[in-house]
């Protein structure tokens, strides 16, 4: 595995990969590092879909708000590199902040509307940062397929819309592939931020996903959405979460708020605070 931190060596390595293997497909797995089983599942899925795999690790300052955890976000490049090497990744793309945002950098990508709801409401500017860095990663790596976890459902919806709007990927159905959330045995969605939970908080946290699955079943069974969401909120707070940013039923693609379930693909999404962690999760409805 090559570990590259500058653009020219990346371009040379990618063109060598392409020249050596004709029609071979290239997959990109963008990450911010602190890799866990969820990321490694993306890598394995990438390897199943493409001959060559590039994983990027970049803690993107533009997607952190002023009071967020940029400084303390876990960074463990050497350990991450060992994991990726063992998975047979071809290239680890780990650019510095100066490579991604050179002096006088002035461009931002905004996916209007989709970025204003859910996490976007609580974290203004976050999705501009995500869309900007992901569009740069697509331009740098030019993958045939890019893989993202469904845990960040809003991020996935925004990246799909951006890629379509800006013609960033080839027009294939699976060019932006969402991979189902990987969970701990007790149902907690894997996240680098789970490290912020104390032992007691960690034990309590899976209650959120349990309550979400029950709410999703009740909505499909015909319970009014507002009632199911009220019960869900009460259960999340009773489990020890100190506040809830949102607990919503949304159209899976447009993220339109759904006051009633009408059978279209929908998602139940929750963000809530437990101790120092802000946990997000989502489940399919119907
Ligand atoms: O999901 C993440 O880890 C990040 O938001 C991403 C997509 C790598 C962009 O920085």
């Amino acid at each position: 595995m090559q570990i590259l931190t500058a653009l020219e060596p990346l371009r040379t390595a990618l063109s060598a990969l392409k020249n050596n293997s004709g029609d071979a497909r290239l997959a990109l797995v963008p990450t911010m590092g602190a890799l866990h089983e969820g990321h490694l599942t993306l890598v394995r899925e990438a390897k199943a879909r493409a001959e060559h795999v590039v994983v990027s690790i970049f803690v993107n300052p533009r997607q952190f708000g002023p009071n967020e955890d940029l400084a303390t976000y876990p960074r463990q490049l050497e350990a991450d590199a060992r994991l990726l090497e063992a998975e047979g990744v071809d290239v680890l793309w780990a650019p510095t902040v100066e490579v991604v945002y050179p002096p006088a950098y002035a461009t931002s990508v905004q996916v209007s509307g989709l970025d204003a709801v859910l996490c976007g409401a609580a974290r203004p500017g976050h999705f501009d940062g995500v869309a900007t860095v992901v569009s740069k990663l697509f331009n740098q790596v030019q993958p045939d397929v890019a893989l993202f976890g469904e845990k960040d459902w809003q991020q996935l919806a925004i990246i799909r819309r951006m890629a379509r709007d800006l013609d960033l990927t080839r027009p294939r159905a699976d060019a932006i592939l969402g991979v189902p959330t990987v969970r701990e045995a007790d149902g907690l969605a894997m996240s680098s931020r789970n490290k912020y939970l104390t032992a007691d908080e960690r034990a309590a946290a899976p209650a959120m996903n349990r309550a979400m699955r029950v709410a999703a079943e009740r909505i499909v069974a015909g319970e009014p959405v507002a009632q199911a969401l009220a019960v869900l909120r009460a259960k999340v707070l009773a489990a020890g979460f100190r506040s809830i940013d949102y607990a919503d039923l949304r159209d899976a693609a447009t993220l339109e708020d759904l006051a009633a379930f009408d059978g279209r693909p929908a998602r139940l999404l929750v963000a809530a605070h437990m101790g120092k962690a802000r946990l997000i999760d989502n489940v399919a409805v119907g």
Side-chain angles (χ1 to χ4, degrees):
M1 182 179 77
Q2 298 184 66
I3 303 177
L4 303 172
T5 57
L7 266 176
E8 263 327 295
L10 176 74
R11 289 189 179 124
T12 308
L14 294 179
S15 61
L17 282 180
K18 281 179 186 157
N19 291 342
N20 288 344
S21 41
D23 288 340
R25 277 164 60 86
L26 180 68
L28 170 67
V29 180
T31 81
M32 297 207 299
L35 303 180
H36 50 64
E37 199 53 31
H39 298 108
L40 299 182
T41 301
L42 295 178
V43 171
R44 288 169 201 144
E45 192 63 43
K47 282 191 72 74
R49 286 167 185 272
E51 286 74 15
H52 300 302
V53 176
V54 177
V55 175
S56 64
I57 294 185
F58 179 63
V59 181
N60 173 31
R62 290 190 169 233
Q63 67 187 76
F64 288 78
N67 300 317
E68 294 186 15
D69 55 346
L70 174 61
T72 54
Y73 195 83
R75 289 164 172 87
Q76 47 180 61
L77 190 62
E78 280 179 21
D80 287 347
R82 281 195 294 277
L83 290 172
L84 296 175
E85 174 103 58
E87 295 293 334
V89 166
D90 297 271
V91 174
L92 166 52
W93 171 224
T96 60
V97 174
E98 293 70 29
V99 165
V100 178
Y101 302 118
Y105 183 88
T107 304
S108 176
V109 178
Q110 185 187 20
V111 184
S112 310
L114 288 182
D115 67 341
V117 299
L118 301 170
C119 287
R123 305 179 69 190
H126 168 70
F127 288 114
D128 294 0
V130 171
T132 301
V133 80
V134 171
S135 62
K136 289 198 62 138
L137 290 168
F138 283 0
N139 285 329
Q140 291 161 352
V141 176
Q142 311 218 336
D144 297 289
V145 54
L147 296 92
F148 297 87
E150 287 186 350
K151 182 180 145 283
D152 293 296
W153 187 268
Q154 184 175 13
Q155 168 173 282
L156 180 59
I158 285 174
I159 290 168
R160 282 194 168 127
R161 182 71 64 85
M162 173 186 75
R164 192 208 62 178
D165 289 357
L166 298 182
D167 307 316
L168 284 181
T169 51
R170 304 194 185 149
R172 294 176 53 108
D174 68 348
I176 308 286
L177 192 71
V179 176
T181 304
V182 180
R183 297 182 181 280
E184 306 285 357
D186 57 11
L188 181 67
M190 286 194 188
S191 163
S192 306
R193 290 191 167 104
N194 291 348
K195 291 182 179 160
Y196 300 152
L197 298 169
T198 64
D200 285 349
E201 290 164 355
R202 170 64 191 82
M208 181 162 99
N209 181 258
R210 281 199 297 276
M212 291 173 70
R213 283 186 282 119
V214 172
E217 278 166 21
R218 289 197 175 158
I219 289 169
V220 173
E223 182 166 326
V225 170
Q227 188 177 310
L229 294 182
V231 174
L232 167 62
R233 284 170 197 273
K235 284 185 186 170
V236 169
L237 293 174
F241 284 83
R242 68 185 149 76
S243 63
I244 299 173
D245 282 348
Y246 57 79
D248 288 1
L249 181 70
R250 301 257 169 181
D251 180 289
T254 66
L255 304 183
E256 175 195 342
D257 201 1
L258 299 177
F261 177 57
D262 58 9
R264 72 175 99 169
R267 221 73 200 177
L268 181 57
L269 304 106
V270 176
H273 296 260
M274 164 83 82
K276 290 187 185 141
R278 179 178 183 274
L279 301 184
I280 60 171
D281 202 349
N282 69 86
V283 296
V285 178

